[in-house]
Each structure stands twice: as structure tokens, then as C-alpha cells.
């Protein structure tokens, strides 16, 4: 068993040190994050383990505030005729009274860095390279530990990244990583740990294990997310309601079906958020551009579908109820009914039995409500987009997720994947229908196939 590698996360106050810890540990609840300076007052650690073995310990530290005064103080610590090196000077400082008084916060940082194998020096890359930051780096460098600068706040344009690179180079710091804690690059963790492995060669095996484990976990999460979306789509595609062919019960059934589908989508959103370890409110905020109010409130609004460029099929055009396609088993053939006949022709004995009942229903004057293709398209588009947003989101993010209008065409226009067509003929696959039998191998097979198409 190797000892966990200890890293101190250090830097000026308010540059995102605690945020970096949140993102690297995928823990939205780590420490306290605030726009106010001096939020973190004590050292706090978090451990990253793989298969129960602790590989890395990250220590959050208070922000440095007055490095200029501290550097001056350090320079006065040498006795006459003495010329201490950095670590000796830091050791003398930590033994002195000032380390418990005026520089108490700074002393915590330096003690932690001395007790660590290396430091991650977090930088707000929007800031100019001021003298106070250079002094800060000089004080930290005196601890004699490798420092890896981490450029934060780099997701948006207008940073001073180049000035920082030049300034860090002049201080002998040539390795650095760009890592925005709110929107980390896809390979951000890999780059960060690989850069550390260059500085800390003996720790390379455990850093590589960490990289591999993180990448495997990310792939598993993505697969899990696609499966959740596939289950949602299958549930909705297979959903059916029989209703008496009279205006009042019909309207009531349409309303009830809308609500059931909305709730089903909300359940999927919440499951995705849980899978990615985010808060329920991270995606249910009122200002989602694709939805007013609660997520999914305008799922059945034809205008939403139009804005997204989703093809609006027979059910919507029929106007009986926006979004709830009416398979008219009564009152003539429609597209919906034609599709049903196709399903009947291609389906097995079970399908025939099922449709047999529905044709009986027709004779009794009943209608079948199902959810229109356009709604399936919209669900697929925005859930996929949510999944992509979650995969790219840092756990330091404070704002609710905002989704742009999706650009991709396939789910908007192409024929829907085969599993959804199949599901139309299998009401027993839907958790939204009574009498479902969800553990059926064929349903599972279709979910797998559909999940693969969501990739
Ligand atoms: N947009 C954006 N905001 C960030 C980023 N990193 C941090 N923040 C914000 O910056 C502020 C400071 O973040 P903290 O993580 O508390 O910073 P800190 O360095 O730990 O601060 P102290 O503990 O006070 O020294 C918070 O409001 C964060 O939400 C980032 O990459 N992008
Ligand atoms: Mg902090």
C-alpha cells in the first residue's frame, strides 16, 4: 500500500481554491465557497481513493492576503552574518511569535505546504499580474516544494493568460494547467495529474491509477445517463390511455397524460442530477430556456416544438390536444392508425392480442391516447443536452444549468430509432401504464439498443 500523495491547494484569497477542491472531489458540499474574500479560515482535507485505497489527499487552505508584508518579515529573519535558504527561513518563521499572531493565516498555509509533496497554486487568470502575486509566489517557493500553477477563470474570453504564463516563466514555473473549476476542460483532470507526475515522478503510478479510474467512472456515468434517457423515451413511447370518445373525459385524459409525462421527465432529470452528484435545484430552475417554470412545463406547447424545429406530426396537427397524438381507432384512418396496422402486421401473437382488445375498444366507442413523436423528439433533445451539460459541469458551479437551443439535426428530423417504434406496440413496457411488466428481456434489449443510439 502506497502512502497517499499530499497536495496543498494554495493561492491568493478568492481565486477559487475551495472551488477547485469541489470539482476535483466531485463534492458540491466541500467547504464554503463565496464571492467574499477570506472565506476559508482553516485547512481542510479531502481524500481520493480507488478501490478503497487512498491515492491522493488534497488540502484546502486559507487565501493569502498580505504576502508583501510577509516577504519583508521573512527577509528580516536572518541573523547577522547568516544566509538562510528558503525552507530554513520558513521554519524559523513558523517557530516565531508572528506566525501565531499577525501572520496566523499565512502560517497555516505554509505549514500545510511544507507537509505536502507539492502545491497547486490557483490563479484568477482575469487578474493582472500584480506585485503582490509575485511576492506570494516567492514566499510559497521558499517552502521548497514543487508548485503547479492552475489557471482558473479561463472558460470565458478576456483573460490575462498570456501575461500570467510569461510572469510564471520568469519565476521558473514553466509547467501549468488551465482548469476552470466551473467549466473544466474535458481532459482537465488528466492534464492536471499528468503535469503533477512530471513534477513528482515517484508518484506517477498512483496518479496514473487515479486518471484511469476517473476516466472509467466518467464513461460509466455517461452510459448510465444514456440508459436513463432511453428508459424515459421508451416509457413515453409505449404510454397509452384508453378514453371514452366524448369531449369531457377525453380532455381530462389528455390533461392527466400530459401531467404523467411531465412528471416522468422530471424524474429523469432528477435521476441524471443524482447520477452526476449535483443538487436537484441545479436543473429545475425557472429560467431554463427550453422550459418555463418547472422543467417540462411547456413540454406540450406546440410553440416550443416549433422553436426547436421539431417536426410536428399528425397528432398535433389534428389539434385534438397539443402533443397527445390521438390514434383514431374510431373515426377513420390517420397516420397513427396506419402505424398501428403496420405494428399489428409485424408484431407477434401478443401484439395481436393487445390490438384485439383495442379494436374491441373501438367498437365500444373508445379512443387511444398516445404521446406524439414530436414530444419524444423534444424529450430526447433536451435530455441529451442536459446529460452533455452535466458531464461538462464542475462541482464548483453555483448557477443553475442553462441549455441553449440544440443544433444537432438527427433527433429533430430523422426517423425515430427503431426501439421507439417497437415500443409503440408494447404498452406493457411503459411504467406509465397499468399492468406493466418492466423486467421483460425484450424491453431491456430495446433500452440497450436505444441507449446506444443516444451516444
Ligand atoms: N465563474 C467562475 N467563478 C468561479 C470560478 N472559481 C471560483 N469562482 C467563484 O469565485 C468565488 C471564490 O471562490 P472560492 O472557491 O470561495 O475561492 P477561494 O480561493 O477558496 O477563496 P478564499 O477561501 O476566500 O480564499 C466564488 O464566488 C466562486 O463561485 C470559476 O472557475 N468560474
Ligand atoms: Mg476557500
Amino acid at each position: 500500500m502506497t502512502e497517499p500523495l499530499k497536495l496543498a491547494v494554495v493561492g491568493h484569497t478568492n481565486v477559487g481554491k475551495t472551488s477547485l477542491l469541489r470539482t476535483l472531489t466531485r463534492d458540491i458540499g466541500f467547504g464554503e465557497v463565496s464571492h467574499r474574500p477570506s472565506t476559508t479560515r482553516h485547512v481542510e482535507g479531502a481524500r481520493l481513493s480507488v478501490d478503497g485505497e487512498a491515492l491522493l489527499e488534497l488540502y484546502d487552505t486559507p487565501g493569502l492576503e498580505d504576502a508583501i508584508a510577509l516577504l519583508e518579515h521573512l527577509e528580516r529573519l536572518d541573523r547577522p552574518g547568516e544566509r538562510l535558504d528558503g525552507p530554513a527561513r520558513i521554519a524559523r518563521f513558523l517557530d516565531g511569535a508572528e506566525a501565531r499572531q499577525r501572520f496566523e493565516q499565512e502560517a497555516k498555509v505554509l505549514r500545510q505546504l511544507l507537509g505536502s509533496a507539492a502545491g497547486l497554486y490557483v490563479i484568477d487568470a482575469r487578474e493582472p499580474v500584480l506585485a503582490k502575486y509575485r511576492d506570494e509566489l516567492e514566499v510559497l517557493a521558499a517552502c521548497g516544494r514543487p508548485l503547479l500553477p492552475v489557471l482558473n477563470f479561463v472558460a470565458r474570453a478576456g483573460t490575462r493568460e498570456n501575461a500570467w504564463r510569461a510572469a510564471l516563466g520568469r519565476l521558473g514555473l514553466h509547467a501549468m494547467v488551465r482548469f476552470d473549476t466551473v467549466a473544466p476542460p474535458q481532459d482537465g483532470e488528466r492534464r492536471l495529474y499528468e503535469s503533477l507526475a512530471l513534477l513528482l515522478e515517484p508518484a506517477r503510478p498512483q496518479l496514473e491509477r487515479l486518471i484511469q479510474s476517473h476516466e472509467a467512472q466518467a464513461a460509466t456515468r455517461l452510459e448510465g445517463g444514456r440508459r436513463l434517457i432511453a428508459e424515459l423515451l421508451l416509457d413515453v413511447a409505449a404510454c397509452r390511455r384508453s378514453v371514452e370518445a366524448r369531449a369531457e373525459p377525453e380532455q381530462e385524459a389528455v390533461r392527466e397524460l400530459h401531467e404523467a409525462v411531465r412528471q416522468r421527465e422530471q424524474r429523469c432529470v432528477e435521476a441524471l442530477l443524482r447520477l452526476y452528484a449535483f443538487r436537484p435545484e441545479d436543473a429545475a430552475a425557472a429560467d431554463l430556456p427550453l422550459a418555463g417554470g418547472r422543467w417540462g412545463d411547456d413540454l406540450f406547447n406546440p410553440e416550443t416544438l416549433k422553436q426547436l424545429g421539431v417536426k410536428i406530426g399528425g397528432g398535433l396537427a389534428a389539434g385534438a390536444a397539443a402533443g397527445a397524438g390521438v390514434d383514431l381507432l374510431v373515426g377513420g384512418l390517420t397516420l397513427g392508425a396506419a402505424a398501428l396496422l403496420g405494428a399489428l402486421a409485424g408484431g407477434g401473437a401478443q401484439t395481436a392480442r393487445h390490438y384485439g382488445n383495442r379494436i374491441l375498444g373501438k367498437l365500444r366507442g373508445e379512443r387511444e391516447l398516445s404521446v406524439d413523436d414530436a414530444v419524444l423528439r423534444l424529450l430526447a433533445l433536451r435530455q441529451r443536452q442536459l446529460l452533455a451539460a452535466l458531464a461538462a459541469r464542475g462541482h464548483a458551479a453555483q448557477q443553475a444549468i442553462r441549455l441553449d437551443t440544440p443544433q444537432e439535426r438527427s433527433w429533430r428530423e430523422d426517423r425515430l430509432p427503431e426501439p421507439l417504434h417497437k415500443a409503440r406496440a408494447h404498452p406493457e413496457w411503459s411504467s406509465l401504464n397499468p399492468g406493466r411488466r418492466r423486467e421483460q428481456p425484450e424491453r431491456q434489449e430495446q433500452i440497450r439498443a436505444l441507449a446506444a443510439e443516444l451516444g
Side-chain angles (χ1 to χ4, degrees):
M1 216 145 190
T2 41
E3 275 285 294
L5 178 69
K6 287 191 169 65
L7 296 177
V9 178
V10 297
H12 201 73
T13 186
N14 226 12
V15 292
K17 297 178 295 301
T18 308
S19 296
L20 178 65
L21 257 118
R22 284 189 174 182
T23 297
L24 291 179
T25 56
R26 306 182 56 76
D27 179 358
I28 45 172
F30 182 89
E32 198 187 332
V33 164
S34 151
H35 62 278
R36 279 171 288 120
S38 306
T39 303
T40 304
R41 307 298 296 166
H42 305 285
V43 173
E44 194 184 338
R47 195 174 254 183
L48 295 182
S49 304
V50 172
D51 299 331
E53 190 183 343
L55 295 182
L56 191 67
E57 280 174 11
L58 290 158
Y59 290 92
D60 190 17
T61 63
L64 295 170
E65 284 169 62
D66 197 2
I68 298 181
L70 177 59
L71 189 61
E72 279 169 8
H73 174 70
L74 287 174
E75 279 163 354
R76 286 196 302 268
L77 287 176
D78 291 15
R79 294 178 189 131
E82 211 178 28
R83 222 173 136 60
L84 296 176
D85 69 1
R89 213 176 262 164
I90 298 286
R92 183 170 292 168
F93 158 68
L94 290 174
D95 280 343
E98 294 284 309
R100 289 185 297 278
Q101 294 159 16
R102 179 172 166 209
F103 296 116
E104 191 197 358
Q105 290 302 86
E106 286 80 358
K108 289 179 188 167
V109 181
L110 298 177
R111 230 177 254 124
Q112 193 59 47
L113 183 55
L114 276 180
S116 303
L120 297 177
Y121 179 73
V122 184
I123 292 168
D124 179 347
R126 302 167 304 180
E127 282 279 293
V129 190
L130 303 173
K132 62 178 178 183
Y133 299 129
R134 287 200 297 269
D135 285 358
E136 205 167 273
L137 276 161
E138 203 175 323
V139 171
L140 292 168
C143 289
R145 296 285 180 269
L147 287 177
L148 178 65
V150 177
L151 297 169
N152 190 21
F153 290 95
V154 286
R156 292 218 194 123
T159 65
R160 296 184 157 93
E161 212 176 308
N162 289 338
W164 274 101
R165 282 180 188 276
L168 290 165
R170 288 170 79 98
L171 293 165
L173 294 168
H174 299 283
M176 64 195 75
V177 287
R178 302 175 84 245
F179 193 98
D180 189 282
T181 62
V182 165
Q186 207 197 343
D187 59 351
E189 273 169 292
R190 168 178 275 276
R191 280 167 177 267
L192 193 146
Y193 294 133
E194 275 174 354
S195 303
L196 272 173
L198 289 175
L199 298 176
L200 301 165
E201 199 52 41
R204 179 178 288 278
Q206 64 209 85
L207 288 167
E208 280 180 353
R209 263 186 78 194
L210 207 59
I211 292 174
Q212 272 159 18
S213 153
H214 279 181
E215 291 185 350
Q217 280 176 30
T220 307
R221 270 193 300 271
L222 205 57
E223 231 171 81
R226 288 182 187 141
R227 230 191 120 76
L228 287 169
I229 300 175
E231 287 187 31
L232 163 73
L233 295 176
L234 211 78
D235 264 358
V236 175
C239 177
R240 305 214 152 260
R241 293 281 191 278
S242 275
V243 57
E244 220 184 305
R246 279 195 301 117
E248 216 174 278
E250 216 171 80
Q251 274 166 14
E252 177 57 26
V254 165
R255 210 187 45 72
E256 197 261 335
L257 182 58
H258 281 184
E259 191 48 35
V261 174
R262 284 193 191 108
Q263 281 177 8
R264 182 64 188 81
E265 190 195 20
Q266 183 67 24
R267 282 216 304 283
C268 182
V269 170
E270 284 162 18
L272 285 173
L273 287 167
R274 263 197 311 278
L275 177 68
Y276 277 85
F278 287 109
R279 283 171 287 247
E281 60 269 28
D282 280 354
D287 55 6
L288 275 170
L290 298 191
R294 199 161 51 86
W295 180 284
D297 262 7
D298 65 353
L299 186 56
F300 293 94
N301 181 349
E303 207 43 48
T304 311
L305 301 170
K306 242 196 275 165
Q307 268 171 19
L308 285 173
V310 168
K311 265 206 231 158
I312 298 182
L316 277 180
V326 182
D327 286 334
L328 291 180
L329 287 171
V330 186
L333 281 179
T334 66
L335 279 176
L340 283 179
L341 292 179
L344 193 53
Q350 202 189 2
T351 326
R353 218 176 312 125
H354 171 70
Y355 281 107
N357 283 339
R358 289 167 63 196
I359 289 161
L360 269 182
K362 167 201 160 184
L363 296 177
R364 287 201 301 265
E366 283 183 1
R367 283 190 178 190
E368 287 269 329
L369 283 180
S370 66
V371 180
D372 197 85
D373 277 2
V375 171
L376 287 177
R377 290 180 191 279
L378 176 56
L379 286 171
L381 281 167
R382 63 183 185 190
Q383 293 302 314
R384 268 170 48 113
Q385 224 189 355
L386 174 63
L387 179 59
L390 291 173
R393 181 175 167 91
H395 286 71
Q398 306 268 47
Q399 282 170 353
I401 293 170
R402 299 191 60 91
L403 300 181
D404 299 325
T405 304
Q407 294 305 317
E408 49 127 4
R409 309 202 73 75
S410 60
W411 276 88
R412 266 196 270 174
E413 292 167 7
D414 294 357
R415 187 181 146 79
L416 288 173
E418 205 43 46
L420 292 177
H421 289 285
K422 280 225 173 78
R424 292 289 197 195
H426 288 276
E428 77 280 7
W429 287 355
S430 176
S431 72
L432 299 170
N433 292 334
R436 63 186 159 144
R437 291 202 301 277
R438 295 177 60 192
E439 273 58 55
Q440 291 189 350
E442 201 189 346
R443 176 181 186 269
Q444 295 301 332
E445 184 48 44
Q446 297 305 320
I447 287 176
R448 256 194 301 281
L450 186 54
E453 296 218 29
L454 287 164

